[in-house]
Amino acid sequence: MNRIWKIALLLGCVCLLLPAFSLQAAGTEAAGAELAGKTLLSDLHKDYQVGCKDCHGKTKDISLDDAESGVSGACVKCHGSSLRMAERSEEKAKGKEHINPHVSHVGNMNCTACHRGHEASASYCNNCHAFNLPMSGGNAAKKTPPGAAGKSNVHKIEQADIVIVGGGAAGMTAAIVATEMKAKVILVEKNPILGGNSMLAAGGMNAAWTEYQAAKGIADSPETMFQDTMKGGQNVGDPDLVRVLAYNSDAAVKWLTAHGANISDVGRMGGASANRAHRPVGGTTVGPHVTGVLKRSVADRKIETRLNCKVIRVLKNKEGRVTGVVVQGKHSGEYTIQAKAVVFATGGFSANADMVASLQPSLKGMTTSNQPGAVGEGMVLGEQAGAKLVDMKEIQIHPTVAAGSRILISESVRGNGAILVNREGKRFVNELTTRDKASEAVLKQAGGSAFIVFDEGILKSLKQIQGYFHLGLVLGGATPQELGAAIGAPGDVLAKTIEAYNGFVDAKKDDEFQRPDMPRALRTPNYYAIEIKPGIHYTMGGLKINTATQVIDEKGNPIPGFFAAGEATGGVHGVNRLGGNSVCETIVFGRIAGANAAKTAQGIEVVPEKIEPKEPQVEPKEEPKVEPKKAS
């Protein structure tokens, strides 16, 4: 491992421990100043005659499980669930606060993710946002409770059939599939919550040959999806992996649906030649929906999940077979889980600014849309275990991150009809081109930013846009001229730009930038805009795998017992990922990894699959012919 990579990983991990990234420093400092001098929660509880045993239980020794679920359960017992706390927050604020900290796209999580008894409390949300959320017990000096500091020096050894490392969509999918195949699974996640980057996915899940496409008369095929993906990645992706992605996409949608998902709405994202981005009805964000479904499935199957537990080493025997992992628990310390198979679903490294800069110096200092846990340690640990890394320099920047924030403005907003304009009020690019080309075009504009413009019609077509208003990111006006004044662009020029675009929509042909899909014109007041800048969004490189998701070593051979899926892997997307393909990737390859890990645990040989191309078989449905009525 290159020394600079090790330094980059270390710095990335340090960032994970901070309450907020530098982009949010102003907001966090303001909250910290307001909370300065507040008492720790443990001391505040003493004022109400709440003692150690009320929170920690009546055991002789005060101890915490790594997930801190016991203490969180005590919080809920006294204060009520997150839903109840959300209601109480609303009652207390009486509509004055636009941010309710107990209602979130991350879903339910342990109270201790934010509220800590013996050290300063800090909002988990401020890892990505800059909300001023005053908290009792915030910004105080760390204090260790009596009897809780020491950890056992005994190195425990536990057993499982399969250890899955990473609790995003790929990891949870693998855990569910393996469990359904009767394997004993332990899912290990370093963060205090499940979801990873998957819970931030906004646009949709690409899939071809689905019943939802057929019902809408959309002509598509896995081979077309394959060709679009290869072209979008400049033909650098591994064709065998890309065909697995495309030809298993319909089955992935059916699998999710069988587990409770509803992604029957279909739209289009950049680089696709057909509408294939499946998303929840009404246009809500796909990530929270899919991860919510997976979390419920994990809970229903009682899959053992360990939060706040970080894998620090992969174990191998003399024959080179992976035999387990060493884990560092937040409270339990270091221990080993021996297993017959290990699945890495550890995500990418977009939030590790130093690693990104070491591979792509031109991206140094650029913000990221990722959650803070995406620092790439899975790739480092995998390489230490003998894995080959591929496409590591291929780092995607997303063209539409809200300026001054880390909030991704979903590609589905453009997919539903929004346009991009510069400070002159003019369009400058095909809004549905691939992300690399769109980002390059934005960076060439004055100020290195642009505006995504939409109207009331687009707003009503996509429910997730409401969240951008909620976060205070949207400017508006009753007319294009008023919107121009709001964003600092010539109003008459912006009006002409919108008028010209509407003409292209009417003619069903974009003569200016050859945009392939224009679902609606911008004619419904009010008019809105969000300033956007490109941000680091996805890392296409990672552990090399074959179509069975087996991790491949430097000699080109599978490492026995070692599997990987999701953004931790490389080879699927080439030099540029198409929007909508990552959610599909997590489910498709997560299912394969879970199934093959279970087979390995059962002593069944795993054989990589090679898919041969097939001709398209889906045609749009013909509209029923209506015979004209005869004149009476």
Side-chain angles (χ1 to χ4, degrees), residues 284-323:
T284 56
T285 47
V286 69
H289 178 73
V290 168
T291 54
V293 166
L294 296 174
K295 287 177 184 178
R296 286 192 295 273
S297 293
V298 167
D300 290 345
R301 285 156 183 78
K302 295 180 173 56
I303 296 172
E304 187 171 353
T305 302
R306 301 186 181 181
L307 302 175
N308 293 317
C309 288
K310 183 176 180 178
V311 169
I312 58 175
R313 190 163 69 254
V314 177
L315 300 175
K316 296 172 72 176
N317 63 16
K318 294 180 180 179
E319 289 73 40
R321 171 177 287 277
V322 167
T323 59

Side-chain angles (χ1 to χ4, degrees), residues 10-33:
L10 177 62
L11 291 172
C13 292
V14 169
C15 287
L16 177 62
L17 300 177
L18 298 176
F21 278 72
S22 59
L23 211 68
Q24 284 73 42
T28 303
E29 286 173 6

Side-chain angles (χ1 to χ4, degrees), residues 386-388 544 552-559:
K388 180 179 177 63
K544 183 175 177 58
I552 304 302
D553 66 16
E554 289 286 353
K555 296 181 180 180
N557 301 314
I559 299 175

